[in-house]
Structures are given as C-alpha cells and as structure tokens.
Amino acid sequence: MKYLYYPGCSLESTGKPYDVSVRTVFKLLGFELEEIADWNCCGATAYMSVKETVALSISARVLALAEKIGGEIIAPCSSCYTILSKTNRDLKANPELEELVKEALDAGGLTYNGTVSVRHPLDVLVNDIGIELITAKAVRSLHGLKTANYYGCQLVRPEKGFDDREFPTSMDNLFASLGAENVYFPAKVRCCGGMLMTTFTEVGLKLNHDILQRAKENAADVILTTCPMCHINLEGYQSEINKKFHTNFNMPIVYFTQLLGWALGAGMEEVGMELNLIPIEHRVVGGVVTR
Amino acid sequence: MMEGDRVAFKLSTPGVLPKSERKLREEFLSQLELVPGGEKIKSCIQCGTCTGSCPVSYVMDISPREVIARFRIGDIESILKSRTIWVCASCYACTTRCPSGIRITDILYAMKRTAIEEGIFPSRFPVYTMSEGFVKNVNRYGRNHEMGLLVSFYLRTSPLKLLKMLPLGWRLFKRKRISFTPMKIKRLDQIKSIVAKAESQVMPSEKASIMVASTVGYGSTTEVKQRAAGAAQGGAK
C-alpha cells in the first residue's frame, strides 16, 4: 500500500519538527511517503462552525486528490486526521450530503468515490509496520528515559479507531519496546483545549497546567505528543503557566516521531530536535545507553 | 471575558413555545438534521455523564446535561446566548461516554451554527472572530497561514495581547517555526469554484419547508414532516 503524506498547515510552520521527524522515521524504516501535490487545508474545527457543505467539500478535495493518486492518507495532525475521517464518515452516512459534495467537487473538476482511508502515523507504525520491525531496526535504546505518552483527544475520539478511546496503549507499547519507561499518566487522553488557548486563554492555561502537573508528579522526563496543537500549547505556554500557577515546569515536549527517529539512529537535527523550545538532549544523551 | 451570570429562563405560557423560540427551534432542528443520529437527543436520561466528563464544564454557564434539558423544555434561546457552545473544545469526551449514544459535541456544533446563522453573539467575539479569520485565510490561500491568522485575530480582539505574544513569537521565529509569507496553493481557482458551488447549495434539510410543532417537546423535523404527509397516526403527541 502506498502512503500518501498529508502534512497539513501546522506542520509547515509551528509543527515543523513533526514534519521533519515523520519524514525521517518513514525513510529510516524503508517506507516511501508521497506528499499529496497541491494539498489544501482540511478546514479544521473552525470551518465546521460555518456552513457544513463548504467544510466537507474543502476536505473532500484532499480526499479526491489522494484517490486520483491511489493509496492511504497519512495525516500526522490529530485535527486533520479527525476532520478527514469525519468527512469520509459523514459522506457515507448521508447520501444527500454526499451528492452535494460531489456537485461541489465537480465544479472544480474533481470526483471522489469514497475509497481513500485516512490513517494516523502512530496507527501505521504500530499496526502496519509493526513494533517488531521497529525494534529490530532500532540502534539506540531508550533505557532510562521516563516518558509520559500523551495522545490527546482527537486522535482517539470520537469514533472507535485504531486504539481505545479512554485508555489507548499503542504509543506505550511502542516506546516500552524501545526501552523507555512509561510513567503512569492519567491525563493521556485529556484535552489540551486546542484553540481555546487563543480564544479563552484562562481555560487553555488551566487545561495544560493539569496535563503538565500529571506528568511531573509521576516523574516523567518528557511528554510525547501526537498533535501539533497539543505540542504548541504544552510547550509554548509553559512559562505563562508557570507564572500563573506558581509552578516551575521545564518539561520537554517532544513529538513521538522525534524520539522514535532518534532511537532508529537519526541525528538530533534529522528529527528536528533543535527546533523544540525546551531542550531534551541532555536527558536523552545523558541517561540513555547508546549501542 | 469570564463574567456573565446564568441566563435566566423565561417561558410565558407553560407548554407553549413563544414565537421567537419557535423560529430558533426551526433553525436548530434543521441544523440537527445534519448530525448523524441527531434523533438520539430524545433518549437522554439526564445522568450527567457528559458534564462530569467535560474538561471545560467548570466554565460553562449551562452544563452539557442542562443544554439538553433546556432544549427539551423549549428554551433554545438561553442556550444560544450561553458561553457553553463557544467554550466547547470538541474533545468528544462526552460523546464517547454518553450511555444513550447522543453525539453531544455535534449537537453543540449545531447550536453554534444556529447562533451564527441567527447572529446571536457579541461583536468581536473571540471564537467567531477566529473562525471567520480562519475561513477567510483558507479561501484566500488554500491553506491556513498561522501567523497571519493570529496577528489579525489579536488586532481585532485585543491588540495588547499581541504584544504579550511577541516573546513566544520570537522564540518560534528563531527556530524557523513561523513563516511570514503564506503558502499559496497552485490550484486556488479550483478551491474557489468548489467553495462557491458549496456555498450556493441548499442544504438537504432546507429543501423541505420545515414545520415545527408549536408545543414543547422534541418535535424532530422528520417526525413533523411525516405527520404532515399524513403518514403518522392522528393526534399530536
């Protein structure tokens, strides 16, 4: 199966480290990612609040482009992943709506027959490529590193997807097999608030404080994320959280693909580690046995 | 931002919907038609699992459970005027846990769309300003330009906050995680014709003229339509 890469808008700017590391991980594992040429924004949750047919048509364009090439979409951003999957689901569930979206796409000279599946890289890595192959290819052990594996909300919800909606374990299994210790992390599917950080800042800060607190009190060295929204909220606003809640968090927030790529032998810059705001290097290099 | 007391509930004649309420109900039910399984709103048992699961219910003026209770007694107006529908971060915790299978998040979306449609929100309201800016951005470039969106958002809502964001902006800029120029897609014309077409479309539920029972209750559009077609047994329930 061919993997069609859909980075999404965030991965072009604030989510750059995610983009870099996803590409590296797949390359190191010997899988080719083909970027969908001329992809557009999925519409995100903001678009869903306006007219629904417009929102669905926009994301259906991405699906239509992918269908033309043939293959499965890999969408690393949880929001893109949710929206594109939702579009697939809604079109199937509501034939009337599907008809309208088809008409809209037709106006742009495109067609979509509903055959493209949308996948998250975590799903593909754990369930297609497999933990066995990944551990076989790993050249560094993560032994001694304590990770808080943060899945966030839109990766595992609303529909039952590739993992449990309340207690997902795929990331835990992956990193445990690479030698890391998964700390007890009750906030693993708590919501980071997404755009609330901008629209209702007070609320956003509290939600992220709670997540950081759970990680810290369980002695995590790092929080691993799967979504650019969670990443920027937890990372970029840590100093503001510290000010507001009188805490002293200095928790590195790292995309799971960054740490995975490093374990697979990539250099720090190949996984964009230097692009993170809170450095993890000393913890990894210092505490981990390299082979 | 966080002020605002609970919205007072007013229903003049018990059991009968005021005219304004009927209009809102009509609008909302047509939005609800688009929610797969929207009908399930009827099977709410008021257990409150949604409210208990919600990470932001502590700042809501009407809890998710109460949203459904208020809808049930014919008080949509206060829901539309509430902070609740705007503060929902769509994390779907409620939807996942609802024992009756009600898609609460999607119902709140339907409420939000109704409020936008009816123009019920304060001017320069952050959530709406953000959505609006986002949509403009995407229609113009085909992709979202994060920095452009945030700068215009803060300029329109609170320019002071923009200054507060500068340190973070600088740290991200140093790491090349901010782009000043938007990425424009090549086939912008294609997006434009798709959007134009979709905007001109009449939604499925808008096709039939929707009649809503003037009595308090659930009164789904499909039911009302059926009744109108004479398919249902006589007598309003």
Side-chain angles (χ1 to χ4, degrees):
Chain A
M1 181 56 77
K2 197 165 176 184
Y3 293 123
L4 304 174
Y5 185 45
Y6 177 72
C9 308
S10 283
L11 270 69
E12 289 197 315
S13 51
T14 48
K16 197 80 202 156
Y18 202 5
D19 180 54
V20 173
S21 57
V22 167
R23 289 176 196 267
T24 301
V25 162
F26 278 86
K27 202 170 87 196
L28 287 175
L29 290 170
F31 287 83
E32 198 198 331
L33 290 184
E34 180 181 339
E35 185 168 337
I36 301 171
D38 209 37
W39 55 267
N40 57 276
C41 168
C42 71
T45 41
Y47 229 114
M48 278 293 163
S49 334
V50 291
K51 194 161 177 165
E52 196 153 1
T53 45
V54 183
L56 290 172
S57 308
I58 291 259
S59 59
R61 178 178 179 262
V62 176
L63 297 169
L65 292 179
E67 196 174 62
K68 211 154 64 175
I69 311 171
E72 289 185 330
I73 294 184
I74 292 195
C77 164
S78 294
S79 191
C80 302
Y81 171 73
T82 285
I83 295 288
L84 294 176
S85 316
K86 181 185 156 70
T87 304
N88 253 343
R89 220 167 36 236
D90 284 4
L91 294 185
K92 260 184 207 122
N94 194 339
E96 268 184 292
L97 213 53
E98 192 190 9
E99 208 42 56
L100 293 179
V101 169
K102 271 194 172 151
E103 257 175 48
L105 284 178
D106 191 49
L110 288 172
T111 47
Y112 180 54
N113 298 311
T115 62
V116 176
S117 47
V118 181
R119 313 275 306 272
H120 190 271
L122 179 60
D123 175 19
V124 172
L125 286 165
V126 171
N127 298 316
D128 286 14
I129 299 173
I131 292 179
E132 230 166 273
L133 181 89
I134 294 174
T135 36
K137 288 208 172 180
V139 299
R140 292 191 183 110
S141 161
L142 297 177
H143 186 75
L145 189 72
K146 291 178 174 175
T147 63
N149 305 319
Y150 180 55
Y151 299 77
C153 54
Q154 296 195 332
L155 174 62
V156 288
R157 292 194 290 263
E159 251 34 73
K160 169 100 181 70
F162 67 94
D163 209 336
D164 194 82
R165 292 182 289 186
E166 299 275 4
F167 195 77
T169 47
S170 41
M171 214 190 329
D172 301 63
N173 296 338
L174 175 62
F175 285 97
S177 70
L178 292 168
E181 182 189 331
N182 304 317
V183 304
Y184 170 69
F185 190 43
K188 57 159 73 164
V189 295
R190 283 286 287 202
C191 175
C192 77
M195 281 317 275
L196 285 185
M197 192 58 103
T198 313
T199 50
F200 287 93
T201 310
E202 304 284 301
V203 184
L205 291 175
K206 158 130 188 354
L207 294 178
N208 286 279
H209 164 267
D210 293 354
I211 295 164
L212 289 164
Q213 185 60 37
R214 294 294 95 75
K216 194 183 174 187
E217 69 197 14
N218 291 297
D221 293 321
V222 56
I223 295 182
L224 297 182
T225 56
T226 61
C227 168
M229 205 74 221
C230 306
H231 188 90
I232 190 72
N233 278 346
L234 286 167
E235 184 188 50
Y237 292 84
Q238 245 180 69
S239 43
E240 210 168 324
I241 290 170
N242 282 338
K243 232 182 282 165
K244 187 171 160 61
F245 295 94
H246 309 292
T247 48
N248 57 347
F249 297 123
N250 186 30
M251 180 70 72
I253 313 293
V254 169
Y255 287 106
F256 80 101
T257 42
Q258 291 185 284
L259 190 61
L260 177 58
W262 189 78
L264 289 170
M268 286 291 182
E269 69 295 336
E270 286 176 276
V271 289
M273 210 64 105
E274 80 286 358
L275 302 177
N276 290 347
L277 298 180
I278 301 161
I280 186 190
E281 284 93 320
H282 65 285
R283 300 187 205 219
V284 177
V285 180
V288 172
V289 187
T290 15
R291 195 160 73 191
Chain B
M1 182 171 75
M2 285 298 143
E3 87 287 348
D5 291 309
R6 300 192 135 232
V7 193
F9 174 58
K10 46 160 183 42
L11 187 61
S12 43
T13 320
V16 179
L17 290 172
K19 211 169 161 192
S20 60
E21 197 56 39
R22 215 176 309 158
K23 184 165 166 285
L24 293 175
R25 204 177 185 81
E26 212 171 274
E27 170 69 33
F28 170 65
L29 286 173
S30 76
Q31 295 286 355
L32 192 65
E33 285 273 289
L34 295 169
V35 178
E39 299 286 307
K40 285 201 180 147
I41 191 170
K42 289 178 199 173
S43 46
C44 172
I45 54 171
Q46 290 287 299
C47 65
T49 302
C50 46
T51 305
S53 307
C54 178
V56 291
S57 59
Y58 78 103
V59 282
M60 287 178 171
D61 40 4
I62 298 178
S63 73
R65 178 195 62 74
E66 205 182 326
V67 163
I68 294 180
R70 283 191 183 239
F71 168 69
R72 197 179 258 186
I73 55 166
D75 181 26
I76 292 195
E77 195 176 343
S78 66
I79 305 172
L80 298 183
K81 285 183 175 160
S82 72
R83 188 195 299 134
T84 300
I85 54 176
W86 303 103
V87 86
C88 167
S90 27
C91 79
Y92 295 97
C94 51
T95 304
T96 304
R97 291 182 184 167
C98 176
S100 299
I102 302 170
R103 307 191 59 90
I104 301 147
T105 314
D106 291 337
I107 286 174
L108 290 179
Y109 266 124
M111 293 280 183
K112 216 185 291 189
R113 285 198 296 266
T114 310
I116 290 176
E117 201 82 1
E118 296 286 327
I120 306 180
F121 50 85
S123 72
R124 300 196 179 195
F125 186 62
V127 182
Y128 181 70
T129 312
M130 176 59 87
S131 291
E132 200 194 16
F134 189 93
V135 169
K136 267 192 199 152
N137 224 315
V138 174
N139 291 350
R140 190 177 308 154
Y141 307 118
R143 290 186 191 171
N144 177 33
H145 182 221
E146 279 180 343
M147 198 192 72
L149 174 64
L150 286 177
V151 168
S152 76
F153 171 79
Y154 283 124
L155 284 180
R156 294 181 63 187
T157 51
S158 63
L160 258 177
K161 258 185 148 180
L162 185 61
L163 287 177
K164 269 182 80 181
M165 294 301 294
L166 281 179
L168 175 60
W170 174 243
R171 287 166 74 204
L172 289 170
F173 172 72
K174 274 194 302 191
R175 291 168 179 82
K176 300 192 181 69
R177 282 170 64 182
I178 281 187
S179 60
F180 284 101
T181 43
M183 300 288 266
K184 217 181 212 174
I185 68 166
K186 285 187 207 115
R187 295 293 314 273
L188 204 56
D189 59 306
Q190 195 175 45
I191 292 266
K192 284 193 171 142
S193 15
I194 292 173
V195 169
K197 180 75 197 172
E199 264 176 357
S200 73
Q201 282 169 341
V202 182
M203 304 281 257
S205 51
E206 288 167 2
K207 275 185 201 155
S209 64
I210 299 156
M211 290 174 291
V212 181
S214 55
T215 46
V216 175
Y218 295 100
S220 88
T221 49
T222 13
E223 250 173 47
V224 178
K225 269 187 242 162
Q226 275 170 0
R227 217 179 300 156
Q233 327 81 316
K237 198 184 161 195

